[in-house]
Amino acid sequence: MAAIELQKETGSDSSISESQKEGTLTGSVLADEVFVGNGNFIEEVRDDINVEAAIEEFYELEKHLSRISRKSSIPVSKLEEGIIQEDEFNLSVFLHGMSNSQKRAGHQLKHLGVIWKNLFVEGLGSEAHTIPTVISGLFKNLQFWKFFGWGAKKGTKVILKDLSGFCKDGEMLLLLGRPGSGCTTLLKIISNMRSSFTTVKGTVSYSGFDHLTFARRFHGQACYNSEEDQHYPTLTTKQTLQFALRTKTPGTRLPNESKKEFIHKILYMLGNMLGLTKQMHTIVGNPFVRGLSGGERKRLSIAEQMTTQSTINCWDCSTRGLDAASALDFVRSLRIMTDVFQKTTVASLYQASNSIFKLFDKVILLDDGYCLYFGPTSKAKQYFEDLGFYCPPRKSTPDFLTGICNPQEREIKPGFENSVPICGPHFQERFYASSIYRDMMNELDAYEQLIEKHRPADAFKEAMAQEHQKRASKKSPFTASFYQQVKALTIRQFHLLLKDREALISRYGTILVQSLITASCFYNIPNDGSGAFSRGGAIFFSLLFNALISQSELVNFLMGRPILEKHKQYALYKPSAYYIAQVVLDVPYALAQVLLFEVCAYFMMGLNLNAGRFFTFFVTLFFVNMCMNGFFRFFGAITSSFFFATQFSGIILIATITYCGYVIPYGDMHPWLSWIYWISPVAYGYKTLLVNEMKDQKYSCEGAGNSIPFGPGYDDWNYKVCTMAGGQPGENFVLGDDYLQQKLQWDTKDLWAPDFVVVIAFFLFFTIMTALAMEFGRFNTVGSLTKLYVPGKAPKARTVEENEERLRKQASRVDSMEQISTGTTFSWQNVNYTVPFKGGNIQLLNGINGVVRPGHLTALMGSSGAGKTTLLDVLARRKTVGKVEGRLYLNGEALINDFERITGYCEQMDVHQPAVTVREALQFSARLRQPHEIPQKEKDEYVEQIIHLLEMEDIADAQVGDIETGFGISVEERKRLTIGMELVGKPQLLFLDEPTSGLDAQSSFNIIRFIRKLADAGWPVLCTIHQPSAILFDHFDHLLLLVRGGRTAYYGEIGVDARTMIDYFEKNGGPVCSPAANPAEYILEVVGAGTSGKAKQDWADAWANSPEAKLLEAELEQIHQTANQQPQRRALTYATPFLTQFYLVFKRMTLAYWRSPDYNIGRFTTIMFTSLITGFTYWKMSNTVSDLQNRLFALFGTFLMANILIILAQPKFMTERLYFRREYASRYYGWIPFALSAILVEIPYILFLAAFFMFGFYWTSGLTNTSEAIGYFYLMTIFFVFWAVTLGFVIASIAEIPTMAAIINPLVISMLILFAGFMQPQAAMPKFWSSWMYWLNPFHYFIEGLAVNELSHVNVQCHDKDLITFSVPPQQTCGNYTEQFFKMGATGYLVNPEAIQPELCGYCAFKSGQEYYSTTFGWDVSNKYRNLGIIIAFFVFNLFCFCGLVYWKRKGRR
């Protein structure tokens, strides 16, 4: 009640907004068939105030929205044909009904306003930073103290300067300003998203709550909808919304209304309100996965925020990507929701029309953080006109207001030149002295007094308490209880996993293949002494593979981060609930994975056939897998960088595997690193599995090699002993318990406690730590973009005179635009496009005709999802999926191989190489795409001309960067760069897909004006455009209008004042268009665009039967009849020869690598850590028998290093491939220069990495210190790393996405390690594998080469603990007794051949390293350089494979 009384006292009405009382929505419908000032198309503001007319206007608006009929049973085509069902959806009636039902049920409605006073906000990055390089990154990392904030200078930038204002509940506030003016910052502060700013001074209160209380108790009640759409691409629209609703379903609903009914009710409302009913079962998609169109995805983002039922809603450019009609429908919906539920709505919009502007109550105009105006929308225009500014007749009020911020755009009335304010501080000073400001501050004071008097915060608390579900804490900001959050997240996670069929199939396929291969390699391990080492290897390998497969979780985990951040702000769920849900769903998947692996491997390997041991193996492996999932995700939770997470987790993984007890037994570990053993989850898992296998088992010592001495005449077990550790004199077997105790110093009674318990404890530890890291971690805190410049090239502030000179030059350049000597005509006839869909086909384009001629600027328009981008893709020959039919002719010729090169296509997605500067990017395009004959100087001069034309002088030497990282150029500047990249190539034909999307009115005007100049210079241009103002639309001379289903509604001239186009629609039964209306909005409304679909007839049929269509058909038929179907002219696929392409591509890629310090320094750190930990683990090895094996295990560290290099190389290549595909599609260069550059650019870094790996490892571990051995080691390491990185590229080329590569990696690495002949010697392998797989394995040649290089110089000197001791018969010396044994070819030697009883004989197993590797592994020193050659051959083979795969996958799926 308090909130309702508050509304009455402030003079508001629940059904009519303040702006309507002010008279901003005046003017009524004059006739059904005449469009005038009813908030639809009229672009004028009336000064008369007519309250009755305003009320009538509002009800007209309600009726207008009630025409929306979105029952899922109605086909979309029917809506466009104008067939409207009787059962119409009326949003206002629906919402009023909901509101009244809630009041009757006794529900307290949530009302909150927001007030901010003296707001002062700073963010990072004011001064210009320089572009980081590998060298600068190295110096930065050496200054480690700066990471802790000591001596670190962080430049800050003031974003908002002394702002005060408010927005009451039931009001709509519009923020206007150019990009960078501070609108987004103000929205974020209102939404209580402060983490990305360094300083926030001043107060923000929410009807009595301070910002800290509000953040703690109600942070999901102020929601921010960002410009970017972040969704899971594989979920359907319905699943996305259902999930949000499950977490936001209020605990107190209408009587007898279940959760399910509530969710269906809201889904019905959102589907109808936003025109998503037909799309409910369509997957969301993204730029790389086909799904919803861009506009539909934007509407889904809007719907998702509406499910939160938040009280304060902030919308940041939420109409970007929507057509004009949909944008208007959206804002109308906001108006009705705001009025009915008394919500507080704040929105920033670019290119808003008058129709949209009038729906708001108040407006704030910002420029560089200063407030130029804050007050009623109805008084804004008059205020600036009174200051002395002039508004041209057809300019919309929002464009006029935004233009005030731009010195080049604003127009001053004669006589006011010296009195108008010229910059932000002056504007703010004048405004703060105005009567409007005083009125607003008085209203703010009155509003504060009302809040103090009625205390709406108490009513809000009660409403929130009612909204909480059962068992949800009333003090928590979350509607759902923790259990309900986990439940909803588990359902969503299940859908996500199920939808990713490729990943599922590849994951379980990998497990199946790997388990069978592992089992066959260790097939039926003998139950004797010789099988002991193999048994340990088999179990270690089972563990290693199940640990490595968990590494793929890191990629999955990081990919969901942006959506998690958004949902965290919406208070849908706790981040810890998200992780717990993942763990819950891990359980069945891990059970299936481990069971599949064990069933295939356990029995074939001949492990202990006992049910208890089988299930112990199963449950241990399961918990190890769960534990390692948590291990990798933990590193994903504490950092948002994939490279950092992979490097850090990889380093620790190497340490835990090295110290698990298999590679180096616990007794042999050096004390300074043995502590790693005690904190390694892999160690406890390995110990549990091996003890489970060997406990209480007897291993026979009969047979050659299992005892010393063996052979004829050595049958008395009193005088021989088992070679297997743990053997007792006189016994022909070894107890597994004794082996474990003597060899590994393990006690078998520790099997369950502590070993198994510790594995579970590690799983719980990682689960809790990851959940806590996610709950309290802070990422994605990019407050403002920081530009990075080439050193010494940062722009300097210009004087007024310099600015005027710059503008004069720019104008002269535009005016002197060179004419194109040969005009180009491009025509398309009967274009159809079908794509495969759910077992059938769906047609996206339907018989589309058109032609663009020299000098034509043709607008391509239509509703969201009508097929505009699809048509451009088809015409520009970018489609790689589906079937394209139709006749396309360029200058009366069939298209040939130079078409992509001579046409420019500015795509909607601004995909650019982030490492280069704007000038470097444009020069790259110009040098590759302009004819080779043109001198480079001339090309570069043209680039400078384009830089000036597009007003990019200040960012010419700035790095393009990535918006997500917070460094780089802005969205609007990227759009200009996208256009510039095509223009510098001097194309003969230009396609542009939404060049003004996301830009403010002035930037849009500049770009369209420039494109108009291009057209006037003879360029034919086809351009899609979503929300053109009347002034922008005037620049176009032709229109191609599409309706849903990919059909044509109109093609032809627009005419002066759009009369030709309007006459066509009026004469074919369309409503009359008012002279003051925006023609672009008029045609979209007429053909039923937007969410409301109000077409009175099927305009596609009307067009097909019109005389205009027949004339166009005849014209196209004439072109077809005279067209040259087999052009013989010389056509070049690429403008430049191969060597030029290669030089420029390689130069740019070298620059990109040099400017990637995170990647290269990260790799260096990983390699150095691996080399040092391996070196210090095997510190200064001696020449004993145990150290022979240790020398091999030391070399095993290089395998793990290769694994990390493979994983790190893949995302880098996948990112580079994105840019390659975009540039290849425009025929910048061929696939060979790209493939060669990708490999060659790695070479210097690999030479450096291999050298430092050797420095850290070689001498610390005490390897052979001769120049030949060292040189060989370095060469072998270099080529091995070459091979590893190229293998990473090959895997990445096969796998389109990082998740797929992450699943393939462990399979490949595991197989290479398995068949290297190291864990299982060739002699012990089954014949099937040893006959071919062993010989095809590069790891075999690598380890053999390094082993013989190292061990051939070693003469063994046995240590006492290495000796095998046995007794001899009486009266015989040890030498006499073993004479026959050595004659039969036994290895090793006796240390005391003259000894007799009772002294024991000491037998050393090997005399030399050569004896060790030749008898154990069958290796030969003569193969040393052959092996190096083979590794080089494998590297070359990878090169060819990689090049072939780059060619095969040179085009992305689209």
Side-chain angles (χ1 to χ4, degrees):
M1 284 303 293
I4 294 168
E5 285 171 31
L6 187 149
Q7 285 293 327
K8 287 177 181 170
E9 292 199 35
T10 53
S12 294
D13 188 286
S14 64
S15 60
I16 308 158
S17 71
E18 190 173 314
S19 69
Q20 292 162 333
K21 289 188 173 180
E22 296 280 355
T24 57
L25 282 172
T26 58
S28 57
V29 178
L30 302 179
D32 249 3
E33 293 298 314
V34 182
F35 280 87
V36 284
N38 65 340
N40 289 345
F41 308 113
I42 192 155
E43 294 283 355
E44 65 179 351
V45 175
R46 303 192 182 175
D47 296 324
D48 56 316
I49 296 174
N50 182 338
V51 177
E52 288 78 13
I55 295 170
E56 189 181 337
E57 181 73 33
F58 179 69
Y59 288 119
E60 280 300 329
L61 190 149
E62 287 187 4
K63 284 181 193 169
H64 164 79
L65 274 157
S66 70
R67 294 190 192 113
I68 305 172
S69 182
R70 281 279 183 267
K71 289 281 188 184
S72 57
S73 57
I74 307 169
V76 173
S77 58
K78 298 292 182 196
L79 291 170
E80 291 190 340
E81 290 163 18
I83 303 169
I84 306 297
Q85 305 291 317
E86 289 302 311
D87 182 17
E88 293 187 335
F89 177 78
N90 182 320
L91 179 64
S92 181
V93 170
F94 187 89
L95 293 180
H96 272 108
M98 275 180 68
S99 177
N100 293 335
S101 300
Q102 286 173 2
K103 285 173 186 170
R104 282 197 299 273
H107 296 181
Q108 183 74 48
L109 297 182
K110 298 181 296 183
H111 303 151
L112 279 186
V114 60
I115 297 172
W116 56 96
K117 284 180 162 180
N118 309 114
L119 201 58
F120 177 90
V121 180
E122 282 186 337
L124 277 178
S126 58
E127 81 276 359
H129 293 258
T130 55
I131 298 170
T133 62
V134 171
I135 287 290
S136 68
L138 212 53
F139 284 125
K140 182 184 167 189
N141 285 325
L142 289 173
Q143 296 171 317
F144 61 89
W145 54 88
K146 289 190 176 180
F147 291 111
F148 303 102
W150 303 327
K153 289 182 182 176
K154 288 190 176 177
T156 57
K157 172 187 178 183
V158 181
I159 306 171
L160 294 180
K161 296 147 189 171
D162 193 26
L163 254 63
S164 295
F166 63 95
C167 186
K168 301 175 187 174
D169 40 323
E171 280 190 351
M172 288 176 67
L173 171 65
L174 176 64
L175 306 187
L176 289 177
R178 302 187 75 206
S181 61
C183 292
T184 295
T185 299
L186 182 54
L187 285 172
K188 285 187 172 182
I189 295 294
I190 292 171
S191 306
N192 223 358
M193 296 169 67
R194 296 172 168 233
S195 59
S196 55
F197 306 107
T198 54
T199 309
V200 180
K201 294 176 185 172
T203 59
V204 180
S205 71
Y206 304 86
S207 291
F209 295 111
D210 64 83
H211 77 90
L212 291 170
T213 307
F214 197 76
R216 191 176 66 253
R217 296 278 307 275
F218 312 113
H219 80 248
Q221 291 304 307
C223 285
Y224 169 77
N225 185 270
S226 72
E227 211 172 332
E228 301 301 319
D229 302 316
Q230 298 283 4
H231 300 286
Y232 284 108
T234 53
L235 292 181
T236 65
T237 305
K238 187 176 182 181
Q239 285 167 348
T240 303
L241 295 176
Q242 262 181 339
F243 165 72
L245 284 166
R246 282 190 185 108
T247 59
K248 281 291 184 180
T249 302
T252 310
R253 296 179 294 279
L254 299 181
N256 303 318
E257 184 180 48
S258 67
K259 278 186 186 178
K260 198 172 181 182
E261 286 166 344
F262 176 84
I263 290 170
H264 283 309
K265 176 175 76 176
I266 302 298
L267 276 177
Y268 169 76
M269 180 194 79
L270 293 172
N272 284 288
M273 180 168 79
L274 294 164
L276 288 170
T277 304
K278 290 290 289 182
Q279 286 77 27
M280 279 295 173
H281 298 289
T282 305
I283 68 165
V284 176
N286 62 18
F288 312 107
V289 177
R290 189 188 295 116
L292 299 178
S293 71
E296 288 163 348
R297 222 167 12 249
K298 176 57 71 181
R299 298 207 294 263
L300 173 61
S301 297
I302 293 164
E304 186 181 40
Q305 176 157 331
M306 287 179 172
T307 62
T308 64
Q309 300 161 64
S310 52
T311 316
I312 299 165
N313 288 287
C314 297
W315 307 91
D316 193 1
C317 294
S318 294
T319 56
R320 177 185 168 190
L322 298 182
D323 59 79
S326 296
L328 183 56
D329 283 344
F330 160 58
V331 180
R332 282 170 174 158
S333 303
L334 285 185
R335 177 78 265 173
I336 291 176
M337 291 184 84
T338 303
D339 290 336
V340 174
F341 289 111
Q342 294 297 293
K343 289 184 181 294
T344 304
T345 303
V346 188
S348 73
L349 300 174
Y350 291 152
Q351 303 179 50
S353 65
N354 275 347
S355 318
I356 287 174
F357 184 72
K358 291 172 190 173
L359 292 167
F360 286 86
D361 302 297
K362 294 188 176 73
V363 61
I364 290 181
L365 180 62
L366 295 176
D367 181 31
D368 196 28
Y370 293 101
C371 180
L372 277 57
Y373 177 85
F374 168 52
T377 47
S378 55
K379 297 180 181 178
K381 183 177 177 183
Q382 192 61 49
Y383 168 77
F384 285 104
E385 286 184 328
D386 292 346
L387 282 181
F389 294 101
Y390 170 69
C391 178
R394 296 195 68 185
K395 196 165 200 173
S396 67
T397 305
D399 286 2
F400 167 62
L401 295 179
T402 311
I404 296 290
C405 309
N406 188 345
Q408 284 85 53
E409 187 185 356
R410 58 191 180 218
E411 296 179 44
I412 301 167
K413 292 177 184 174
F416 286 86
E417 289 86 357
N418 298 320
S419 63
V420 295
I422 55 168
C423 59
H426 296 166
F427 272 105
Q428 185 161 295
E429 193 180 317
R430 287 284 286 274
F431 174 64
Y432 283 178
S434 69
S435 60
I436 292 179
Y437 178 72
R438 284 195 299 277
D439 292 345
M440 295 313 294
M441 290 305 103
N442 291 337
E443 192 177 338
L444 190 153
D445 293 338
Y447 184 46
E448 282 191 309
Q449 288 166 16
L450 282 169
I451 289 169
E452 189 65 36
K453 180 180 174 184
H454 293 292
R455 302 184 66 79
D458 296 337
F460 181 77
K461 280 181 189 172
E462 190 185 328
M464 285 299 295
Q466 287 180 356
E467 195 172 86
H468 278 69
Q469 293 179 11
K470 265 189 283 185
R471 290 182 291 280
S473 166
K474 301 293 184 251
K475 293 185 178 179
S476 162
F478 302 98
T479 305
S481 65
F482 192 79
Y483 166 74
Q484 289 294 343
Q485 292 171 34
V486 171
K487 184 179 171 185
L489 283 157
T490 305
I491 293 167
R492 185 188 70 176
Q493 194 67 16
F494 174 73
H495 286 306
L496 281 170
L497 288 170
L498 210 61
K499 282 283 173 66
D500 200 355
R501 284 199 186 90
E502 284 184 355
L504 271 181
I505 292 166
S506 57
R507 186 186 185 101
Y508 288 107
T510 299
I511 300 287
L512 179 66
V513 170
Q514 187 61 52
S515 59
L516 291 171
I517 290 172
T518 306
S520 60
C521 182
F522 291 104
Y523 182 68
N524 216 4
I525 303 168
N527 217 21
D528 57 21
S530 63
F533 181 71
S534 294
R535 205 167 289 274
I539 286 171
F540 171 72
F541 198 82
S542 302
L543 199 71
L544 179 67
F545 177 71
N546 278 280
L548 289 177
I549 199 86
S550 298
Q551 209 157 8
S552 63
E553 290 303 319
L554 185 60
V555 182
N556 280 326
F557 194 68
L558 288 170
M559 286 177 83
R561 177 62 60 74
I563 298 156
L564 172 68
E565 291 292 332
K566 179 179 74 169
H567 288 170
K568 191 174 175 180
Q569 192 255 324
Y570 286 175
L572 294 187
Y573 50 84
K574 283 175 166 285
S576 52
Y578 169 73
Y579 182 65
I580 299 299
Q582 282 199 315
V583 173
V584 168
L585 215 64
D586 277 346
V587 172
Y589 280 85
L591 284 172
Q593 176 183 315
V594 172
L595 191 62
L596 179 65
F597 182 88
E598 189 182 8
V599 166
C600 294
Y602 193 89
F603 302 105
M604 284 177 68
M605 291 195 295
L607 299 183
N608 210 312
L609 296 179
N610 172 292
R613 293 181 195 249
F614 178 86
F615 286 108
T616 303
F617 186 96
F618 173 74
V619 75
T620 306
L621 211 50
F622 165 75
F623 275 109
V624 167
N625 184 251
M626 293 291 284
C627 174
M628 295 312 289
N629 283 349
F631 170 83
F632 286 110
R633 286 181 186 151
F634 173 70
F635 292 103
I638 60 173
T639 174
S640 54
S641 160
F642 173 81
F643 286 120
F644 183 77
T646 306
Q647 287 155 5
F648 206 52
S649 62
I651 285 167
I652 294 176
L653 180 70
I654 286 173
T656 55
I657 287 173
T658 305
Y659 281 86
C660 75
Y662 170 73
V663 177
I664 179 167
Y666 176 69
D668 294 346
M669 293 176 187
H670 289 294
W672 55 76
L673 287 175
S674 60
W675 54 270
I676 298 173
Y677 170 80
W678 297 106
I679 60 164
S680 166
V682 180
Y684 290 96
Y686 178 61
K687 184 178 173 186
T688 305
L689 291 173
L690 198 60
V691 168
N692 173 62
E693 171 60 28
M694 301 187 85
K695 185 184 178 186
D696 299 330
Q697 290 299 296
K698 289 183 178 179
Y699 295 96
S700 168
C701 296
E702 300 291 352
N706 287 326
S707 62
I708 298 295
F710 62 85
Y714 300 103
D715 302 318
D716 189 344
W717 275 96
N718 289 313
Y719 305 114
K720 62 180 192 174
V721 71
C722 293
T723 51
M724 183 176 170
Q728 302 295 329
E731 290 184 350
N732 65 346
F733 63 88
V734 176
L735 267 177
D737 305 60
D738 294 338
Y739 170 78
L740 294 168
Q741 180 64 54
Q742 187 176 328
K743 175 80 174 167
L744 303 169
Q745 298 180 12
W746 287 349
D747 195 331
T748 54
K749 70 175 190 300
D750 295 342
L751 170 63
W752 293 105
D755 297 342
F756 178 71
V757 173
V758 172
V759 173
I760 297 175
F762 267 114
F763 160 61
L764 295 174
F765 170 76
F766 284 123
T767 302
I768 292 164
M769 291 303 293
T770 307
L772 290 173
M774 292 182 71
E775 194 66 48
F776 300 108
R778 290 281 179 272
F779 298 108
N780 202 18
T781 54
V782 177
S784 58
L785 280 171
T786 303
K787 288 189 171 60
L788 303 169
Y789 289 93
V790 173
K793 297 281 188 174
K796 297 185 171 51
R798 293 190 187 88
T799 63
V800 176
E801 293 77 21
E802 284 172 337
N803 249 331
E804 287 174 354
E805 176 64 16
R806 185 174 70 94
L807 290 168
R808 191 187 59 72
K809 280 183 181 173
Q810 187 188 344
S812 68
R813 276 199 182 92
V814 173
D815 293 334
S816 63
M817 180 76 68
E818 60 191 71
Q819 286 291 125
I820 294 177
S821 54
T822 56
T824 301
T825 301
F826 178 60
S827 66
W828 59 97
Q829 183 179 7
N830 201 24
V831 169
N832 295 292
Y833 178 57
T834 52
V835 292
F837 180 73
K838 288 185 178 175
N841 286 314
I842 185 169
Q843 187 156 357
L844 300 182
L845 297 177
N846 207 321
I848 297 184
N849 295 332
V851 59
V852 285
R853 290 195 167 80
H856 280 189
L857 177 51
T858 304
L860 174 55
M861 294 179 69
S863 61
S864 302
K868 303 182 295 296
T869 299
T870 304
L871 177 62
L872 279 189
D873 279 348
V874 166
L875 295 182
R877 299 219 296 194
R878 295 296 194 272
K879 286 292 182 194
T880 58
V881 175
K883 184 181 179 186
V884 177
E885 295 172 315
R887 301 165 177 167
L888 277 70
Y889 296 111
L890 186 70
N891 292 330
E893 292 181 342
L895 306 187
I896 50 176
N897 63 337
D898 66 349
F899 178 74
E900 289 91 339
R901 177 178 65 80
I902 60 176
T903 55
Y905 182 19
C906 300
E907 299 187 44
Q908 206 168 334
M909 291 286 296
D910 303 315
V911 179
H912 299 289
Q913 165 59 266
V916 298
T917 66
V918 169
R919 179 176 278 114
E920 286 163 356
L922 292 170
Q923 286 175 346
F924 181 75
S925 177
R927 291 171 185 177
L928 281 168
R929 298 179 71 193
Q930 287 188 27
H932 184 54
E933 302 76 46
I934 296 174
Q936 184 174 309
K937 188 181 176 211
E938 196 177 313
K939 291 178 182 178
D940 291 348
E941 282 170 359
Y942 189 70
V943 165
E944 296 306 311
Q945 188 179 342
I946 295 295
I947 286 172
H948 288 294
L949 285 172
L950 293 174
E951 299 176 30
M952 295 197 296
E953 302 98 316
D954 286 350
I955 59 163
D957 291 299
Q959 193 175 34
V960 175
D962 264 325
I963 289 178
E964 291 78 17
T965 62
F967 294 96
I969 59 177
S970 68
V971 173
E972 178 246 353
E973 289 160 345
R974 276 165 204 280
K975 185 59 72 180
R976 284 194 240 166
L977 176 58
T978 301
I979 294 165
M981 289 288 282
E982 298 306 317
L983 296 179
V984 295
K986 292 190 175 179
Q988 294 179 27
L989 169 66
L990 202 54
F991 298 114
L992 299 108
D993 193 4
E994 290 184 44
T996 62
S997 181
L999 305 187
D1000 68 305
Q1002 180 59 23
S1003 300
S1004 303
F1005 177 76
N1006 289 346
I1007 282 172
I1008 295 298
R1009 182 189 62 185
F1010 177 60
I1011 293 168
R1012 177 70 262 173
K1013 290 284 183 187
L1014 290 178
D1016 292 340
W1019 257 304
V1021 183
L1022 180 61
C1023 172
T1024 63
I1025 192 155
H1026 261 159
Q1027 300 172 34
S1029 64
I1031 291 174
L1032 281 190
F1033 195 65
D1034 271 352
H1035 286 84
F1036 292 90
D1037 46 48
H1038 285 72
L1039 170 74
L1040 173 54
L1041 182 63
L1042 301 183
V1043 292
R1044 288 186 187 92
R1047 302 169 74 207
T1048 307
Y1050 178 75
Y1051 173 81
E1053 284 189 40
I1054 293 172
V1056 179
D1057 290 334
R1059 276 321 311 172
T1060 309
M1061 176 192 76
I1062 291 167
D1063 289 345
Y1064 167 81
F1065 284 101
E1066 288 180 349
K1067 81 177 181 189
N1068 282 289
V1072 177
C1073 179
S1074 157
N1078 178 350
E1081 291 185 14
Y1082 163 77
I1083 53 160
L1084 287 171
E1085 288 271 347
V1086 168
V1087 299
T1091 59
S1092 44
K1094 298 170 289 293
K1096 292 285 193 297
Q1097 58 175 299
D1098 188 331
W1099 286 98
D1101 282 352
W1103 168 255
N1105 298 321
S1106 69
E1108 290 87 348
K1110 302 282 190 295
L1111 279 171
L1112 176 63
E1113 187 67 43
E1115 183 184 351
L1116 293 172
E1117 194 55 42
Q1118 176 65 28
I1119 291 172
H1120 172 62
Q1121 295 300 331
T1122 58
N1124 179 1
Q1125 302 291 348
Q1126 300 286 329
Q1128 298 302 311
R1129 66 181 172 82
R1130 182 169 174 261
L1132 294 170
T1133 307
Y1134 308 105
T1136 51
F1138 172 80
L1139 285 176
T1140 308
Q1141 292 174 43
F1142 173 69
Y1143 169 73
L1144 291 170
V1145 173
F1146 180 65
K1147 181 182 169 188
R1148 186 182 69 167
M1149 204 171 281
T1150 305
L1151 198 61
Y1153 265 68
W1154 183 243
R1155 290 175 180 170
S1156 302
D1158 285 358
Y1159 173 61
N1160 286 308
I1161 294 173
R1163 289 199 298 178
F1164 172 70
T1165 309
T1166 308
I1167 294 263
M1168 278 313 295
F1169 185 91
T1170 307
S1171 69
L1172 288 171
I1173 198 169
T1174 311
F1176 282 103
T1177 296
Y1178 299 101
W1179 174 258
K1180 300 294 181 189
M1181 287 179 287
S1182 62
N1183 290 348
T1184 62
V1185 169
S1186 52
D1187 274 347
L1188 286 180
Q1189 189 174 351
N1190 284 342
R1191 283 172 195 270
L1192 285 188
F1193 273 120
L1195 302 173
F1196 175 73
T1198 50
F1199 289 174
L1200 297 172
M1201 183 247 321
N1203 178 42
I1204 288 176
L1205 284 175
I1206 287 169
I1207 291 167
L1208 289 175
Q1210 289 168 345
K1212 185 74 178 164
F1213 166 71
M1214 285 177 174
T1215 309
E1216 292 293 336
R1217 183 171 61 189
L1218 278 180
Y1219 316 129
F1220 159 67
R1221 281 176 173 170
R1222 187 187 72 80
E1223 290 160 351
Y1224 177 78
S1226 296
R1227 298 298 185 266
Y1228 282 54
Y1229 50 86
W1231 57 274
I1232 299 177
F1234 168 72
L1236 290 178
S1237 299
I1239 299 293
L1240 293 175
V1241 75
E1242 287 277 6
I1243 288 176
Y1245 295 97
I1246 287 172
L1247 295 174
F1248 185 83
L1249 291 175
F1252 272 83
F1253 177 77
M1254 188 174 78
F1255 296 156
F1257 162 68
Y1258 199 87
W1259 289 282
T1260 49
S1261 56
L1263 298 184
T1264 305
N1265 197 15
T1266 64
S1267 54
E1268 192 216 0
I1270 295 167
Y1272 182 86
F1273 180 89
Y1274 181 55
L1275 280 175
M1276 190 59 127
T1277 309
I1278 285 172
F1279 286 106
F1280 179 68
V1281 176
F1282 277 158
W1283 171 84
V1285 170
T1286 50
L1287 179 68
F1289 284 172
V1290 167
I1291 294 170
S1293 302
I1294 296 166
E1296 281 291 305
I1297 49 174
T1299 44
M1300 184 70 76
I1303 291 166
I1304 297 172
N1305 288 336
L1307 175 67
V1308 174
I1309 292 292
S1310 302
M1311 284 181 62
L1312 291 170
I1313 293 174
L1314 199 57
F1315 295 109
F1318 166 63
M1319 292 176 73
Q1320 180 79 320
Q1322 184 200 3
M1325 280 184 204
K1327 184 69 177 168
F1328 175 76
W1329 294 119
S1330 63
S1331 60
W1332 67 281
M1333 190 67 190
Y1334 174 72
W1335 299 105
L1336 287 179
N1337 188 348
F1339 273 24
H1340 152 217
Y1341 299 101
F1342 174 69
I1343 195 76
E1344 182 183 352
L1346 289 186
V1348 298
N1349 179 59
E1350 173 58 32
L1351 297 177
S1352 59
H1353 305 280
V1354 175
N1355 291 313
V1356 175
Q1357 294 168 338
C1358 260
H1359 192 275
D1360 286 350
K1361 68 172 185 177
D1362 296 319
L1363 295 176
I1364 298 171
T1365 58
F1366 56 92
S1367 182
V1368 291
Q1371 277 78 48
Q1372 285 198 41
T1373 64
C1374 293
N1376 293 339
Y1377 178 61
T1378 55
E1379 188 179 351
Q1380 187 62 27
F1381 170 63
F1382 283 111
K1383 277 183 182 173
M1384 289 187 294
T1387 59
Y1389 65 93
L1390 289 171
V1391 291
N1392 52 351
E1394 301 304 323
I1396 57 170
Q1397 277 194 4
E1399 189 181 347
L1400 296 177
C1401 302
Y1403 171 70
C1404 187
F1406 300 102
K1407 288 196 288 284
S1408 64
Q1410 185 172 359
E1411 193 176 67
Y1412 169 65
Y1413 63 66
S1414 58
T1415 55
T1416 309
F1417 301 104
W1419 295 339
D1420 193 333
V1421 72
S1422 62
N1423 296 336
K1424 181 172 161 181
Y1425 286 98
R1426 178 207 72 176
N1427 291 343
L1428 176 62
I1430 290 173
I1431 289 291
I1432 295 169
F1434 272 113
F1435 162 55
V1436 173
F1437 174 74
N1438 278 0
L1439 277 182
F1440 282 105
C1441 278
F1442 173 63
C1443 291
L1445 287 163
V1446 167
Y1447 172 75
W1448 180 39
K1449 301 262 190 162
R1450 65 196 184 283
K1451 295 177 182 177
R1453 283 176 61 83
R1454 55 187 294 179

